[in-house]
């Protein structure tokens, strides 16, 4: 079996915590993701970078804005594709699935921002498409969310429930330490 690392939306726009709901959880997400990325590269395993180019003209995640740029250290290296998406899933409107099949990749290791949006959506689709998926929970993060009733849900709770919702259904949730051993 062949495995690939999928890096999702490590973009500068997520540095504006207030814009996304405030109170981001897991301040170690970037460090964990970079450790995972470094290990993956040292093993010469395939890496795919996915970034969001929002269709909303006011979004921070537009490629022509600073927020659309990758965080320093997360830039693709030679041979690492950069997949541009316009919706939450890295599979919709992109050639990611075709690239993975062409490379005979059956297993995916996923990390990124935000846990409850693009990471969850991509993980669910990957599982539904038949990939064996590991989601590195400590290399993901999210923000506070306000429900339709106005109730505030803290970022850590949103993160934990998002992981619980997909664990052993669409993926296996794991952590950075287990993935870099």
């Amino acid at each position: 079996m062949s495995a690939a690392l999928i890096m999702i939306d490590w973009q500068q726009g997520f540095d504006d915590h207030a814009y996304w709901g405030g109170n981001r959880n897991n301040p170690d997400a970037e460090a964990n993701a970079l450790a995972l990325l470094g290990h993956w590269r040292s093993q010469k395993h395939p890496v795919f970078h996915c970034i969001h180019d929002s269709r909303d003209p006011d979004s921070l995640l537009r490629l022509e804005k600073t927020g659309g740029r990758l965080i320093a250290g997360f830039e693709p290296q030679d041979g690492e594709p950069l997949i541009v998406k316009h919706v939450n899933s890295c599979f919709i409107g992109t050639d990611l699935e075709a690239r993975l099949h062409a490379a005979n990749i059956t297993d995916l290791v996923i990390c990124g921002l935000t846990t409850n949006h693009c990471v969850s959506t991509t993980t669910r689709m990957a599982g539904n498409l038949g990939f064996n998926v590991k989601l590195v929970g400590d290399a993901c993060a999210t923000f506070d969310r306000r429900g339709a009733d106005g109730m505030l849900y803290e970022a850590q709770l949103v993160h934990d429930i998002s992981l619980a919702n997909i664990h052993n259904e669409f993926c296996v949730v794991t952590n950075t330490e287990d993935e870099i051993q």
Side-chain angles (χ1 to χ4, degrees), residues 6-10 29 33 110-115 119 135-136 139-141:
I6 309 295
M7 305 287 290
I8 301 175
D9 297 349
W10 293 104
I110 297 175
C111 69
L113 300 173
T114 61
T115 313
V119 171
L135 176 57
V136 185
C140 300

Side-chain angles (χ1 to χ4, degrees), residues 22-172:
N23 186 39
R24 195 191 102 166
N25 78 313
N26 193 10
D28 296 328
E30 285 84 356
N32 290 334
L34 286 172
L36 186 62
L37 180 60
H39 175 74
W40 211 258
R41 286 173 171 162
S42 75
Q43 301 298 307
K44 301 197 184 320
H45 293 308
V47 177
F48 292 79
H49 301 265
C50 299
I51 60 172
H52 197 89
D53 184 18
S54 178
R55 291 182 174 132
D56 177 354
D58 297 325
S59 174
L60 297 180
L61 299 182
R62 291 189 56 92
L63 297 187
E64 72 270 9
K65 295 183 178 183
T66 303
R69 295 182 193 145
L70 286 165
I71 298 167
F74 286 89
E75 301 89 351
Q77 291 185 353
D78 291 339
E80 296 176 354
L82 179 64
I83 309 289
V84 177
K85 63 186 179 62
H86 301 286
V87 295
N88 298 93
S89 174
C90 294
F91 291 100
I92 294 178
T94 74
D95 65 350
L96 178 59
E97 182 182 7
R99 286 175 180 254
L100 294 170
H101 288 309
N104 295 315
I105 293 170
T106 57
D107 296 5
L108 304 179
V109 174
I110 297 175
C111 69
L113 300 173
T114 61
T115 313
N116 54 313
H117 291 115
C118 297
V119 171
S120 175
T121 303
T122 299
T123 300
R124 288 168 185 266
M125 274 199 86
N128 284 337
L129 290 169
F131 292 99
N132 302 309
V133 182
K134 290 183 181 179
L135 176 57
V136 185
D138 67 351
C140 300
T142 195
F143 300 90
D144 285 353
R145 298 294 298 168
R146 196 161 293 280
D149 61 358
M151 185 170 181
L152 181 67
Y153 297 91
E154 292 187 10
Q156 190 62 50
L157 177 63
V158 173
H159 176 80
D160 292 341
I161 290 174
S162 296
L163 296 177
N165 282 336
I166 59 179
H167 178 63
N168 285 336
E169 182 73 23
F170 300 96
C171 68
V172 171

